[in-house]
Amino acid sequence: MNGLDGTEKRGIKELGAEKLVGWDEVEQGVVINSFEGDATGVANVHAENRNYSDFNSYTATVASWRVIKPVYNRDYCIDCQNCWVWCPDSSIISRDKQMLGIDYDHCKGCQVCSEVCPTNPKSLLMFLEATENDEALAGWPEKKEKEK
Amino acid sequence: MAITSIKNLKEFSTNNDRFEGAHLLCPGCAHSMIVRELMNCTDDNLVIATNTGCLEVSTAVYPYTSWDTSWIHIGFENAATAAAGAEAMYKARKRKGTLKDPNAPVKFVAFGGDGSTYDIGFQWLSGAVERGHDFTYVCLDNENYANTGGQRSSATPIGSTTSTAQAGSHSYGKKEKKKDMVAIMAAHGAPYVAQLAPNKWKIMAKGFQKALETEGPCFINTVSACTTEWKFDPKDTIHITDLATDSLMFPIYEIIDGKELNILYRPKNIITVEEYLNAQGRYRHLFKPENRHVIEKIQKDVDEKWELLQRREEARV
Ligand SMILES: Cc1ncc(C[n+]2csc(CCOP(=O)(O)OP(=O)(O)O)c2C)c(N)n1
Ligand code: SF4
Ligand code: SF4
Ligand code: SF4
Ligand SMILES: [Mg+2]
């Protein structure tokens, strides 16, 4: 192509386009599909039943970010769902109004869930990543008296 | 399907997330709390535009996407433009009869940071709202350009230290007041404008639903506590947001059709701004004797603003 001397024709045809297309006929650019196949109604499908594509970050993990991890103790949980609504990493698994546990592939160990858990003792507590969950549950603290 | 009603948190938790984990936002980042909640407020199809900033760069790191809906990434200033363009195209194609499923309910949403909303995308947002596109714009207001290392924006409050308005021996940080974006958007005559916060999840959910249901351009400023730049422990995101709403640094209210103002949250115990400021590293220098006057100024501004909001609510103007 020549330099910009002002006389040169630089319309879409000169650039090699066969025919002009309308605004609603333009080919799609780069598209990354979150799902394989039809994703209609995905809002009503649980994660475990979805057809995630390899591009969906659900198929990835950030577990290596964690230094500490939350451990869930069902014995004290009242299913209030505070942990669910405030987890920034979609890592609290709740089904049918019940808290089921933590998605350790996506949890970053931020401790927000433990902070917002209202039970006494808390139903979510933080432990070093290397601690076994059974061990953590065995040493769960007793109910704390209210500070005066 | 229509928008689900939200009675309580248990019921809300039956929603299936359409914002996926293994995004790369900092642990404890409020951006994702807000985005998750908006997407859980509706079962409708969503077309979401997000301009660059922490949210965008952390949720679309090739080869991954964290979005289970149609999602458009666009340049720093153009979240509103992209959402408006998509909405205009949708309407035109509906008219022409070229949509695959013309009856599928769809909502158009734009997410922008405060840097893009208050500063760099300001005129494009203003234009899209003035043209009356049917979309909801949500600003994730963390009061700084977090993604590029915490520069000041016009949403940064007076007295905050940022990488471009640093506190030191000659400065107490940013000298200028935070821009009142909610008032500016209400002045456009937008049918629904609000300021909401993720700690008040139910008020926020209702506000989001109202915005999504309202025809025309809606603007919502959300308080998004930023653990990295505000300098607090990631576990405290909700606690800090509680301090923000209870000190009235971030009053929670809506403005309908540019005039009808409703306060949506009245703290039972209003705390001092000092308590809020003291919980964050970005304000630590204000507690030096020579900077104390800035805290007094912030308190005065907050009191005046609260008074104004209450008067406007009462007078219905
Ligand atoms: C036109 C333009 N200017 C500057 C940048 C660099 N940039 C990318 S993200 C960002 C900061 C975003 O700040 P904000 O909108 O507040 O979002 P946050 O990261 O705080 O969520 C900047 C300055 C850019 N991408 N484009
Ligand atoms: S530690 Fe943080 S990321 Fe992990 S489950 Fe709790 S709130 Fe979610
Ligand atoms: S916050 Fe605590 S009590 Fe509430 S659902 Fe979660 S674990 Fe259970
Ligand atoms: S820098 Fe702030 S806004 Fe950005 S991801 Fe981290 S906590 Fe979130
Ligand atoms: Mg910002």
Side-chain angles (χ1 to χ4, degrees):
Chain A
M1 213 186 287
N2 303 325
L4 292 173
D5 62 5
T7 59
E8 171 205 359
K9 286 197 173 157
R10 302 182 77 243
I12 189 116
K13 293 218 174 70
E14 282 74 19
L15 290 171
E18 296 283 303
K19 76 177 194 46
L20 294 173
V21 295
W23 59 268
D24 55 349
E25 299 164 311
V26 177
E27 292 269 327
Q28 282 185 343
V30 176
V31 177
I32 289 179
N33 290 310
S34 315
F35 298 96
E36 298 292 349
D38 191 4
T40 312
V42 79
N44 295 308
V45 181
H46 292 321
E48 58 273 24
N49 299 326
R50 288 175 177 175
N51 208 0
Y52 288 115
S53 82
D54 292 344
F55 293 112
N56 198 304
S57 71
Y58 184 81
T59 64
T61 178
V62 285
S64 63
W65 288 37
R66 280 196 308 272
V67 181
I68 49 172
K69 65 173 176 185
V71 174
Y72 172 56
N73 190 334
R74 177 82 216 153
D75 291 349
Y76 301 104
C77 175
I78 54 170
D79 291 310
C80 68
Q81 304 300 339
N82 278 1
C83 53
W84 177 83
V85 78
W86 285 311
C87 172
D89 293 281
S90 317
S91 298
I92 299 291
I93 307 166
S94 290
R95 295 286 179 271
D96 303 323
K97 306 183 183 179
Q98 283 201 358
M99 155 69 166
L100 297 186
I102 294 142
D103 170 354
Y104 284 119
D105 285 338
H106 302 130
C107 164
K108 293 181 187 141
C110 69
Q111 200 177 330
V112 165
C113 54
S114 173
E115 284 298 302
V116 299
C117 180
T119 60
N120 183 1
K122 284 183 184 292
S123 315
L124 283 162
L125 284 173
M126 304 306 286
F127 293 86
L128 279 177
E129 180 64 19
T131 314
E132 294 291 338
N133 281 15
D134 289 346
E135 204 185 309
L137 289 167
W140 211 261
E142 299 283 304
K143 182 177 167 136
K144 246 200 286 186
E145 293 303 320
K146 274 222 170 106
E147 284 166 40
K148 293 236 168 80
Chain B
M1 193 196 269
I3 285 173
T4 47
S5 76
I6 300 166
K7 290 191 200 78
N8 53 48
L9 195 43
K10 282 193 189 211
E11 192 191 35
F12 194 40
S13 75
T14 60
N15 278 293
N16 298 297
D17 274 302
R18 285 187 285 172
F19 183 68
E20 299 292 353
H23 55 69
L24 306 183
L25 292 159
C26 298
C29 176
H31 279 7
S32 43
M33 298 178 183
I34 297 163
V35 170
R36 266 189 72 218
E37 184 157 335
L38 182 134
M39 295 176 81
N40 279 326
C41 277
T42 177
D43 287 346
D44 289 355
N45 295 330
L46 290 168
V47 177
I48 300 179
T50 306
N51 53 13
T52 201
C54 283
L55 180 68
E56 180 270 317
V57 304
S58 306
T59 58
V61 183
Y62 190 79
Y64 295 117
T65 170
S66 302
W67 302 85
D68 294 348
T69 61
S70 302
W71 183 78
I72 309 164
H73 159 220
I74 193 145
F76 199 10
E77 52 281 77
N78 288 129
T81 321
E87 184 259 1
M89 182 173 192
Y90 174 82
K91 274 192 176 154
R93 288 189 56 174
K94 196 167 191 171
R95 209 168 44 238
K96 287 184 164 192
T98 60
L99 287 177
K100 227 198 283 176
D101 184 359
N103 297 320
V106 55
K107 299 279 186 292
F108 297 85
V109 174
F111 286 114
D114 54 294
S116 61
T117 307
Y118 285 61
D119 299 342
I120 297 183
F122 183 57
Q123 68 169 303
W124 286 271
L125 169 61
S126 177
V129 172
E130 186 270 335
R131 291 191 304 275
H133 292 279
D134 185 9
F135 77 119
T136 296
Y137 189 102
V138 178
C139 174
L140 303 166
D141 183 6
N142 58 12
E143 306 189 314
N144 76 97
Y145 291 71
N147 185 230
T148 39
Q151 292 80 14
R152 94 192 263 293
S153 79
S154 58
T156 307
I158 184 171
S160 172
T161 186
T162 71
S163 59
T164 47
Q166 283 189 10
S169 54
H170 288 70
S171 169
Y172 57 75
K174 195 186 166 200
K175 299 272 177 305
E176 303 78 16
K177 271 171 59 167
K178 185 183 174 105
K179 181 162 148 183
D180 190 347
M181 195 65 185
V182 176
I184 293 168
M185 297 321 292
H188 281 69
Y192 188 74
V193 172
Q195 176 155 281
L196 305 169
N199 59 329
K200 301 292 161 205
W201 73 268
K202 198 172 186 178
I203 301 172
M204 187 163 87
K206 283 188 174 167
F208 282 155
Q209 291 195 328
K210 217 164 178 176
L212 293 171
E213 281 166 42
T214 301
E215 215 182 308
C218 300
F219 175 83
I220 294 177
N221 199 56
T222 56
V223 187
S224 188
C226 169
T227 150
T228 304
E229 297 300 339
W230 294 14
K231 301 191 172 43
F232 63 82
D233 193 310
K235 74 177 174 29
D236 291 327
T237 303
I238 292 303
H239 172 61
I240 294 286
T241 315
D242 280 340
L243 298 180
T245 54
D246 289 11
S247 64
L248 300 170
M249 280 291 280
F250 278 97
I252 305 301
Y253 61 103
E254 63 183 13
I255 304 175
I256 294 162
D257 293 327
K259 15 183 220 285
E260 189 187 320
L261 189 149
N262 302 308
I263 293 172
L264 301 175
Y265 171 64
R266 275 168 226 279
K268 276 195 200 84
N269 300 306
I270 297 175
I271 61 166
T272 59
V273 297
E274 193 168 324
E275 205 173 317
Y276 169 68
L277 304 176
N278 201 15
Q280 305 163 64
R282 63 175 171 155
Y283 292 117
R284 188 160 303 137
H285 57 282
L286 295 185
F287 292 84
K288 289 184 190 158
E290 65 270 28
N291 291 333
R292 279 263 167 191
H293 67 101
V294 183
I295 300 182
E296 279 162 34
K297 171 158 174 55
I298 296 172
Q299 184 68 64
K300 189 165 161 276
D301 289 348
V302 163
D303 292 346
E304 279 173 17
K305 179 71 192 270
W306 185 235
E307 176 71 22
L308 176 78
L309 292 177
Q310 294 186 95
R311 284 213 207 168
R312 275 197 62 183
E313 181 182 51
E314 213 179 288
R316 314 310 288 153
V317 291

